[in-house]
Amino acid sequence: MEFSISRLKIKWKIFIFLLGFCALLLLILWLFQTVFLDFFYRSIKVAELKNNTKTIANNISDENLSDLITNISQNSDVCIEVIVNGESNYSSDVLRECVIHKMSVADKMTFISNARENGGEFSEYIKHPAPPRPTRNNDFDNRLGKMNTPATQSLIYVKLIQDGSNTAILMNTVITPVNATITTLRYQLYFITLLMLLLAALLALIIAKRVSRPIEEINKSAKLLAGGKYDIRFNGKGYLEIGELSDTLNTAASELSKVEALRRELMANISHDLRTPLSLIYSYAEMMRDFPDEITPDQTLIIMEETQRLATLVNDVLDLSKLETGMDELNISRFNITQSIKITTERVAELVKKDGYRIYFDYGEEASVDADEVKIIQVYYNLLINSINYTGDDKTIRVRQIITGGEILIEVSDTGEGINSESLPYIWDRYYKVDKNHKRGVTGTGLGLSIVKRIIERHGGSYGVKTNLGHGSTFWFSLRRGT
Ligand code: ADP
């Protein structure tokens, strides 16, 4: 419900904005085409008159002045009279209802003196009654006839030439009332308004659809994602933001699917890893209850070992989750890493000696690091135990400390089968085991290397593995030497 209202909002907002824009355009059009039309028309006429008088004034001494006047008069539908010292010098009469050609000399002189008082020019509108319909069947007169409505006006314009020659240019043009034109335009505007409103509505719908459809699609996919369909793909196209949004959602979906896959694997692994020792413990305990006289130390040992395994698993899970949530604070201090590794190696070597394992530790000078000693030793221990578990039949493990520049590198090499290249990228993932059926009774939680990875990453160090199928692996990590 919430969503559909906001989706409507997008559509309607665009619609309203577009309509508003159209209304504004129409208003401007209405204003200019109806309200201001008369004003514009008159301004253009006046400008035209002024321009024409200017041309005549500039050519007043030209020998072709008479032709020029006739030309102007015919092209612009104006009557022109040039008066020098009260005498009509040139005259062109093209208008049937011309006022200047009908007025008396005294009237003309009044106009001229008005112009003189007015700084050299003067204009006046004169209303005149409509003359009879033209009798001559002549196009020009016909056109004039149409303009002869009762409200027709003449615009008289007088310009004095300020060169001491006492010359005045008189012009007369007809101002046709624009009412008829306005009526026509108004009808046109009704149609334009209707058409624009329809177009705006259509455009708004199209735009709104284009904008909202990708969002709708993304929302549909997002609902599926929320419902647990993590392999969903978002295909938001159309514009940049939607493209980016769907990229982000695709990343989120793929992360979620990874988490989901991991969760399933984790559940499967944990339940498997818990169930096996538990059922062993249960069977042996049952056996001990049923046959108390036949209890052997081996049976108790199995129960102890399995309990130990469970404890390790639980600890590993706890360690990793603490590391991953960042809840486990690093306890950084300066310690002699060479000594710590040496002691751990000796302890482990002592423990596995009885099974024929030999562990060598080569190091040059002793070195210190600023790190969490317990955690770094946990890293080393995990690598060492893995090497013991996976080393070859010679049961040999070589540990090396190499100091290069400011770095201390610890390498743990075994002579086992190595790791195939398909598995290599995944061994650092939680619960990943190359061979699900461990050989030689190797039991692993699949967490050891991910704990290594987290701890070294949190120390800002590096880690890795060099492996050679059939010839063993060398797991390594490096830390900055304490200065
Ligand atoms: P596990 O508890 O199973 O050893 P790890 O996270 O320590 O879990 O290791 C992940 C997987 O990497 C192991 O199951 C194993 O297949 C592989 N692996 C780790 N160390 C070695 C090694 N030294 N030689 C060969 N394979 C190894």
Side-chain angles (χ1 to χ4, degrees), residues 43-53 75-78 171 173:
S43 310
I44 291 165
K45 279 281 185 187
V46 171
E48 197 183 16
L49 278 190
K50 285 188 176 175
N51 216 15
N52 284 337
T53 34
N75 289 341
S76 308
D77 274 346
V78 286
M171 279 207 191
T173 189

Side-chain angles (χ1 to χ4, degrees), residues 220-232:
K220 219 191 285 167
S221 308
K223 276 183 184 160
L224 289 176
L225 177 67
K229 199 172 180 321
Y230 298 119
D231 56 348
I232 193 88

Side-chain angles (χ1 to χ4, degrees), residues 90-259:
Y90 298 96
S91 164
S92 174
D93 182 7
V94 291
L95 300 176
R96 168 173 285 278
E97 67 276 32
C98 173
V99 177
I100 48 176
H101 284 96
K102 284 185 189 130
M103 78 178 49
S104 63
V105 177
D107 284 346
K108 285 179 195 167
M109 292 324 283
T110 315
F111 270 111
I112 291 170
S113 66
N114 281 346
R116 197 167 289 128
E117 281 163 24
N118 206 32
E121 60 178 352
F122 179 73
S123 61
E124 189 174 317
Y125 289 96
I126 293 174
K127 260 190 203 160
H128 44 80
R133 299 283 303 168
T135 44
R136 277 180 292 158
N137 189 13
N138 168 305
D139 262 350
F140 179 65
D141 276 1
N142 263 340
R143 191 151 51 81
L144 272 182
K146 273 181 212 144
M147 295 193 293
N148 290 336
T149 58
T152 303
Q153 290 181 329
S154 265
L155 169 61
I156 313 290
Y157 179 69
V158 184
K159 169 112 183 132
L160 302 184
I161 298 179
Q162 315 275 36
D163 62 352
S165 62
N166 202 9
T167 308
I169 304 166
L170 271 75
M171 279 207 191
N172 179 185
T173 189
V174 173
I175 303 288
T176 320
V178 287
N179 289 356
T181 323
I182 287 177
T183 315
T184 319
L185 283 176
R186 189 168 291 143
Y187 276 113
Q188 270 194 357
L189 275 173
Y190 286 142
F191 283 109
I192 291 175
T193 307
L194 201 75
L195 206 72
M196 273 180 87
L197 287 182
L198 280 176
L199 280 178
L202 200 74
L203 206 67
L205 278 180
I206 292 170
I207 294 177
K209 248 202 146 56
R210 284 194 73 123
V211 171
S212 60
R213 188 181 292 146
I215 297 176
E216 272 170 43
E217 270 166 21
I218 283 192
N219 185 50
K220 219 191 285 167
S221 308
K223 276 183 184 160
L224 289 176
L225 177 67
K229 199 172 180 321
Y230 298 119
D231 56 348
I232 193 88
R233 289 287 307 162
F234 292 86
N235 297 315
K237 281 188 218 96
Y239 39 100
L240 188 69
E241 288 86 346
I242 286 291
E244 281 176 358
L245 177 65
S246 64
D247 285 351
T248 314
L249 285 169
N250 277 331
T251 318
S254 95
E255 286 304 312
L256 275 175
S257 79
K258 272 190 215 154
V259 171

Side-chain angles (χ1 to χ4, degrees), residues 316 382-391 412-414 416-420 423 426-436 438 442-452 465 467 472-475:
D316 276 2
N382 286 359
L383 297 184
L384 193 60
I385 295 296
N386 276 355
S387 297
I388 294 170
N389 284 339
Y390 296 102
T391 196
V412 184
S413 307
D414 62 58
E417 289 175 13
I419 304 163
N420 61 49
S423 305
Y426 305 109
I427 56 169
W428 307 93
D429 292 350
R430 283 178 290 183
Y431 295 106
Y432 186 82
K433 292 175 189 172
V434 175
D435 190 350
K436 309 285 182 225
H438 288 297
V442 171
T443 53
T445 57
L447 292 173
L449 289 183
S450 37
I451 292 175
V452 167
V465 57
T467 184
S473 323
T474 297
F475 279 81

